[in-house]
Amino acid sequence: MEIFDYTFMQRALLAAVLVGITAPAVGIYLVQRRQALMGDGIGHVAMTGVGLGFLLSANPVWMATAVSVLGAVIMELIRWYGRTRGDIALAMLFYGGMAGGVMFINLAPAGSNANLTSYLFGSLSTVSESDVTAICLLAAFVVLVTVGLRRQLFAVSQDEEFARVTGLPVRALNLLTAVTAAVTVTVAMRVVGLLLVSALMVVPVAAAQQLSRSFVATFVIAVAIGVSVTIGGTVTSFYQDVPPGATIVLLTIGAFIALTVLATPLARRRARAAAAGQSAGDPAECVIPAGRAPERKVGV
């Protein structure tokens, strides 16, 4: 295929696959915790890291990783101790991160807002070998955490009090989730962009929940959707000369709509079957409400 004749597209496709895996893998825990917009907030903070990278002549991906991890930790601390002023503190953190990114990149000798645009909305042609190396290392960390600690992270995301009673280090696991989300944002920013990455973390999970309420099945389906839309968006961007980040997000939303339409008749049949079972005297089946996470023991 023609697309594989270009080295930059080989790098872009590899990055797209890694983003498609990592974003939903972290997003499923954020959805469980009802923190679906956390990725968007971290993306704002990561802009300061990108600007610092240009200002200090350092790799923007690694600098954005450091700054976004710090921002994620601060966000988690605000969630614990912020009380009534927590929303104001988070707003200042988010918008301060965006303003810092614009300021630093304009202070850099070779920086401009044009440089920042490729990080905000994604750019296939600017994914370098050093970017791919950084993305591979960061993606390995995300997969190791989200798969290796899936039982513990799921328990904390589902019910913090229950997890605390069972002896799990709840605060440490919450911090780890926040740090992993921050790493995922920097993994995805070269392909999807900082302003759009949150959609790829949340929408595939929401789409997968239309088909399954088991945690494991939802995880697998969400990752499959993520990989499909990132590859599809990258290929479409190459052949149609359209923005990759916007294309990927629109394909993701399209997948959600399609799965919702397909799942509606199935849900109706299940409801009729449950009603028929109750009328026949069978015990009522425990059904998880749509959009809610599965029970603690299901599929883990």
Side-chain angles (χ1 to χ4, degrees), residues 223-288:
V223 170
I225 293 172
V227 172
S228 300
V229 297
T230 51
I231 292 178
T234 302
V235 173
T236 302
S237 176
F238 175 77
Y239 285 108
Q240 301 298 324
D241 192 24
V242 291
T247 305
I248 290 171
V249 171
L250 290 174
L251 286 176
T252 308
I253 294 173
F256 172 80
I257 295 173
L259 291 178
T260 300
V261 171
L262 291 174
T264 299
L266 179 61
R268 289 175 179 172
R269 283 197 295 269
R270 287 176 177 172
R272 286 196 295 267
Q278 287 181 340
S279 62
D282 294 336
E285 193 176 338
C286 180
V287 179
I288 302 171

Side-chain angles (χ1 to χ4, degrees), residues 65-91:
T65 301
V67 173
S68 60
V69 165
L70 177 61
V73 171
I74 294 174
M75 289 169 60
E76 192 64 25
L77 293 175
I78 291 173
R79 189 174 75 88
W80 294 344
Y81 304 114
R83 306 296 181 185
T84 57
R85 295 185 178 273
D87 290 343
I88 298 175
L90 287 175

